[in-house]
Amino acid sequence: MAGLQEAAASPVVVVVNPNNPDGRVVAPEDLLDLAARQAARGGLLVVDEAFGDERPELSLTSRLGPGLVVLRSFGKFFGLAGIRLGFAVAEEGLAARLTDHLGPWPVSGPAIELGAQALADRVWTEATITRLRDAAARLGDILTRTGLEDLGGTFLFRLARHHQAPALYERLGRAGILVRAFAFRPDILRFGLPGSEADEQRLRATLAG
């Protein structure tokens, strides 16, 4: 919360919730409080929920107020990055101002239809949250059992630390396993979820060396 207090001095504050790459979460109540304070001083809080579909209890889309804009994406949880679809949610007046500033920004009919169907399919969403949660837990177990420190993440990825992370990155790459490295923190790697049980076994074997 200390970071939010410092950020509140800015006219526009952007919070990614859950955060990428560490999965850090800010409580909705804290964000709503910050949005109210931003609105009182003519500022704005932008909450990016690109990784929020797996944690619906964190979403502010149904709790809108002055000074708050929520961004959503279909490229992560729904796996629909190719349709290039996302949206902003805000109170009517603020949404109208955003529309005026953006100007014409057409979205294809098929993309809108796919997005609407994806959001409406609650059965698929609930089943997918369960599947991803279990897969993330298995990934975390693989990482810790092969000597990495699990630093957190979401149901879509895990962040891990290892004192030989650059060497692990090279070893994984040679095995056809792509992970994300960070130039500003060479001791950490971000792992996406393996796609199958066979991929989990291959990751475990490669990390074990």
Side-chain angles (χ1 to χ4, degrees), residues 21-75:
D22 59 10
R24 185 175 65 253
V25 166
V26 180
E29 290 72 20
D30 291 338
L31 291 173
L32 291 172
D33 178 69
L34 176 57
R37 287 187 282 120
Q38 287 291 93
R41 56 196 290 273
L44 183 67
L45 171 64
V46 180
V47 180
D48 185 343
E49 296 184 354
F51 291 97
D53 293 277
E54 65 190 56
R55 297 285 304 276
E57 74 278 5
L58 297 177
S59 181
L60 299 182
T61 53
S62 63
R63 305 175 69 179
L64 300 173
L68 174 63
V69 175
V70 180
L71 304 181
R72 300 299 292 267
S73 167
F74 287 86

Side-chain angles (χ1 to χ4, degrees), residues 5 23 28 34 40 42-43 45 51 61 68 81-82 91 95-96 99 110 134 144 160 175 183 185 188 195 209:
Q5 298 287 0
L34 176 57
L45 171 64
F51 291 97
T61 53
L68 174 63
E91 285 192 327
T99 300
D134 294 345
T144 56
R185 281 288 305 276
I188 62 175

Side-chain angles (χ1 to χ4, degrees), residues 183-202:
F184 68 94
R185 281 288 305 276
D187 61 328
I188 62 175
L189 298 170
R190 198 191 79 169
F191 292 76
L193 298 184
S196 66
E197 183 179 349
D199 290 337
E200 291 178 358
Q201 293 174 353
R202 185 159 64 96

